[in-house]
Amino acid sequence: MSDQGILAVVSGFSGAGKGTLMKELLSRYDNYALSVSATTRSPREGEAHGREYFFVTEEEFDRMVREEQLLEYARYVKHSYGTPKSYVMEQLQAGKDVILEIEIQGALKVKEKFPETLLLFVSAPDAAELRRRLTGRGSESEEVIRERLARAKEEADGMDRYDYLLINDDLDACVEEMHRIIQAQHARMSNNRRFVEKIRGELAEC
Ligand code: 5GP
């Protein structure tokens, strides 16, 4: 048993299918905890407060920032998004592997604070497929789709700062690959300090 849970950040272009991937991962394996972010954007059809996001006003969001309740926060296409700190810390200490599904600026801030964080980047197989998925969602205006594609170009500039790339072509294969990568982190020496101390102590007595 490694010292604590793995903190994994999943980012990717809007339309890469991160949401579906996360749902599938959580339904297949029970050691994951998905962090629920706060956002100032409005709920989409089918989204519920406290499940997909905590939907808050600008004032509430600013208060969370002032009171240092957020592990990181960033602006994305005219809205603020942030990760509540306490839930993440509690779950990691309880040994859960915590997943933050956040954009790139936030991901890099988390990595700065916690260098052991695993950064995973999810992409669709190509740009045409991304556009198709964004349009097919039907919930966004042409303007928002354009903004999200512009943002994807910016994110592509930073994607090579991530540790692993996952191409979401076949959902099933992508979920399994993500699971394998995260689980492999448990074997990292840096996440096994307790074991190292224990065996050193035992050997000292031999
Ligand atoms: P959406 O509006 O499509 O739900 O999310 C827009 C973007 O915000 C996505 O790239 C998503 O990963 C990111 N995001 C969601 N929650 C957070 C958060 O707490 N922090 C940051 N930095 N990005 C977030």
Side-chain angles (χ1 to χ4, degrees), residues 13-14 76 121 130 147-157:
F13 306 125
S14 186
Y76 180 95
F121 196 94
L130 263 185
E147 285 170 345
R148 285 178 176 245
L149 283 171
R151 184 57 185 248
K153 287 178 203 160
E154 283 172 34
E155 297 205 326
D157 285 339

Side-chain angles (χ1 to χ4, degrees), residues 58-73:
E58 297 281 351
E59 293 70 36
E60 284 165 333
F61 195 92
D62 291 346
R63 185 173 52 75
M64 293 174 93
V65 172
R66 268 199 319 278
E67 294 179 355
E68 295 182 10
Q69 292 177 25
L70 302 176
L71 193 62
E72 62 70 40
Y73 60 94

Side-chain angles (χ1 to χ4, degrees), residues 4-161:
Q4 62 167 16
I6 303 302
L7 180 57
V9 168
V10 177
S11 305
F13 306 125
S14 186
K18 286 165 294 175
T20 319
L21 208 54
M22 297 296 93
K23 269 194 202 117
E24 198 52 37
L25 184 75
L26 266 79
S27 76
R28 288 188 197 183
Y29 303 101
D30 59 13
N31 199 46
Y32 291 108
L34 183 64
S35 159
V36 177
S37 297
T39 183
T40 58
R41 85 148 161 77
S42 321
R44 292 191 191 119
E45 182 133 353
E47 287 183 336
H49 182 77
R51 191 180 63 202
E52 279 77 16
Y53 283 105
F54 296 106
F55 296 99
V56 298
T57 60
E58 297 281 351
E59 293 70 36
E60 284 165 333
F61 195 92
D62 291 346
R63 185 173 52 75
M64 293 174 93
V65 172
R66 268 199 319 278
E67 294 179 355
E68 295 182 10
Q69 292 177 25
L70 302 176
L71 193 62
E72 62 70 40
Y73 60 94
R75 293 283 293 179
Y76 180 95
V77 189
K78 299 194 188 117
H79 289 290
S80 298
Y81 295 80
T83 307
K85 186 159 48 185
S86 58
Y87 176 80
V88 174
M89 303 326 276
E90 280 160 22
Q91 296 295 314
L92 284 175
Q93 270 150 27
K96 290 271 188 187
D97 296 330
V98 179
I99 304 205
L100 313 183
E101 199 234 283
I102 65 179
E103 55 66 68
I104 190 162
Q105 302 165 54
L108 297 175
K109 282 187 222 158
V110 175
K111 182 90 175 177
E112 228 172 80
K113 274 194 191 160
F114 303 105
E116 293 299 323
T117 305
L118 176 67
L119 299 186
L120 307 172
F121 196 94
V122 182
S123 176
D126 55 46
E129 175 64 18
L130 263 185
R131 184 163 231 302
R132 246 193 316 277
R133 289 187 195 169
L134 273 177
T135 316
R137 218 183 237 173
S139 57
E140 259 105 18
S141 65
E142 196 45 47
E143 190 202 339
V144 169
I145 292 172
R146 250 200 318 278
E147 285 170 345
R148 285 178 176 245
L149 283 171
R151 184 57 185 248
K153 287 178 203 160
E154 283 172 34
E155 297 205 326
D157 285 339
M159 67 190 279
D160 53 0
R161 300 178 71 176

